[in-house]
DNA sequence: CGGGTCCTTGAGTAGTCTCAACGGCGGTGG
DNA sequence: CCACCGCCGTTGAGACTACTCAAGGACCCG
């Protein structure tokens, strides 16, 4: 149970967070962790594995808002809002650190920088959402997929979860479709185009990007 | 210079905010107020008029992230982040209340609820972005436009800026297109469809919705 | 070995885009 | 006061992107 994951959550100078942790919980892949509209008394931090935040319409259409990597708080808005605006589902088997909401809240309030850090996390969350909006509204299929891969790669590198030209990548084409607003079939087609252009290739849970500069040029 | 606008910004119990205001500034319509990447030392609150937050690509494509109404803080993330992730432009002539960033920050930090309120605003900002993502990724043109109108109407009603079946609506079809990820031409077509279906009609800066329930059903 | 999930590919279609022309309207300047 | 001009809205024809539906094959897990 390394402290590294906590560091990455933005609460950098607080090694004593560990004492706050209520417990640790493990879940299998493809399990819904939180539902939209939930009002939980617990704040979860992803300790290991991948997950994603999403919203769904009644008729089954789904939109993935963002992917969550180890270190991410998966229900940060619950610190400020009573009801969660999105659902969360695990992608791989995950383990979570559980914090009691009120205890975490009083801990944060004890020092001003901590509250500020929480606000910073929240602000970068909405900045990230802005990026996604630009993708969905104004970019082509290839651009959306390329940008999605680049954003995940940069997150992986930031946390030192990967470095080389090959990255762990447990998303299926269905997840990519739901994140980019496309259809699985069209994602598949676009992906083969990108592969033929030697820009990226995905297989068996791994993404390889031979020339990351070429990908960024899109 | 009523206090009502400040109330709506979430800092509900703080009438003394007014003393913090550095100055008040007026700008004409269609003026860029802040650029993406700006790092300002001032926090602006929209006091009168309409504006919008947006991002643009190099080749001129534009995506509107949200519309700003009187009472909105237009660069809230600057409290937490150094560089702004989006640009802001006025839609109508506007007047702004200007706060010095550091002064506002120390004011907020003086009391815990205030910091918490700022975090709440930030959280609802990203919840709103989630709504937009669902629109852009998974909804049809008519659904996007209807939902956009409904969200603006609900914001107008919340702030008591309008009530009746007729609402002020200074957006052009170009703005609607840039907010919904569509083309101005297609927005026009969809709008006439909606008008023929007696769901809504727009003319000359006013939006009329005869049956708001019917619109919500979409 | 079976069943399910995922990927690939195909053919036809629907939704949206592009380009273009035209008319209304408001603002501007003569 | 009027002519002009630019912006906006409308409409049309055609093209293109991405969707739908479907079938087959690969892989994984039980």
């Amino acid at each position: 149970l390394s402290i590294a994951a906590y560091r990455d959550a933005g609460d950098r100078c607080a090694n004593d967070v560990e004492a706050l942790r209520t417990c640790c919980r493990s879940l299998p892949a493809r399990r819904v962790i939180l539902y939209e509209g939930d009002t939980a008394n617990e704040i979860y931090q992803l300790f290991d594995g991948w997950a994603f935040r999403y919203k769904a319409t009644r008729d089954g259409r789904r939109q993935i808002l963002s992917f969550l990597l180890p270190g991410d708080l998966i229900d940060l808005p619950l610190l400020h809002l009573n009801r969660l605006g999105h659902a969360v589902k695990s992608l791989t088997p995950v383990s979570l650190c559980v914090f009691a909401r009120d205890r975490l809240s009083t801990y944060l309030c004890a020092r001003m920088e901590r509250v500020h850090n929480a606000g910073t996390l929240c602000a970068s969350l909405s900045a990230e959402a802005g990026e996604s909006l630009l993708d969905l509204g104004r970019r082509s299929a290839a651009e959306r997929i390329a940008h999605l891969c680049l954003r995940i790669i940069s997150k992986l590198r930031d946390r030192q979860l990967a470095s080389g030209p090959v990255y762990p990548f447990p998303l299926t084409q269905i997840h990519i479709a739901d994140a980019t607003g496309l259809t699985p079939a069209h994602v598949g087609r676009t992906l083969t185009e990108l592969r033929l252009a030697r820009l990226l290739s995905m297989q068996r849970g791994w993404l390889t990007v031979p020339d990351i500069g070429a990908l960024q040029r899109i």
Side-chain angles (χ1 to χ4, degrees), chain A residues 42-54:
Chain A
E42 297 173 333
I43 307 286
Y44 300 110
Q45 184 179 35
L46 194 54
F47 180 70
D48 192 42
W50 293 47
F52 58 92
R53 304 188 302 125
Y54 69 98

Side-chain angles (χ1 to χ4, degrees), chain A residues 108-158:
Chain A
L108 288 176
C109 288
R111 293 196 55 177
M112 199 47 62
E113 322 84 87
R114 291 176 194 159
V115 193
H116 191 264
N117 281 346
T120 303
L121 282 180
C122 222
S124 50
L125 208 63
S126 64
E128 210 187 319
E131 287 287 314
S132 298
L133 278 172
L134 184 56
D135 280 355
L136 293 199
R138 291 296 179 216
R139 289 207 241 255
S140 71
E143 290 173 316
R144 297 184 202 185
I145 294 176
H147 193 208
L148 174 66
C149 292
L150 286 172
R151 288 205 284 161
I152 291 180
I153 286 175
S154 116
K155 214 168 167 180
L156 283 169
R157 300 183 78 119
D158 284 352

Side-chain angles (χ1 to χ4, degrees), chain A residues 59-85:
Chain A
D59 53 348
R61 289 176 286 180
R62 183 174 74 169
Q63 176 65 42
I64 292 181
L65 306 178
S66 71
F67 293 97
L68 300 166
L69 266 52
D72 279 322
L73 290 163
I74 70 176
D75 53 355
L76 177 61
L78 276 182
L79 266 180
H80 299 289
L81 260 34
N82 284 331
R83 327 188 83 247
L84 198 58

Side-chain angles (χ1 to χ4, degrees), chain A residues 14 16 22 28 34 38 49 60 67 71 79 103 128 144 148 158 163 171 185 195-196:
Chain A
D16 43 344
T22 304
L34 290 163
D38 266 7
F67 293 97
L79 266 180
R103 260 208 286 168
E128 210 187 319
R144 297 184 202 185
L148 174 66
D158 284 352
S163 61
L171 317 201
R195 187 182 334 118
L196 293 179

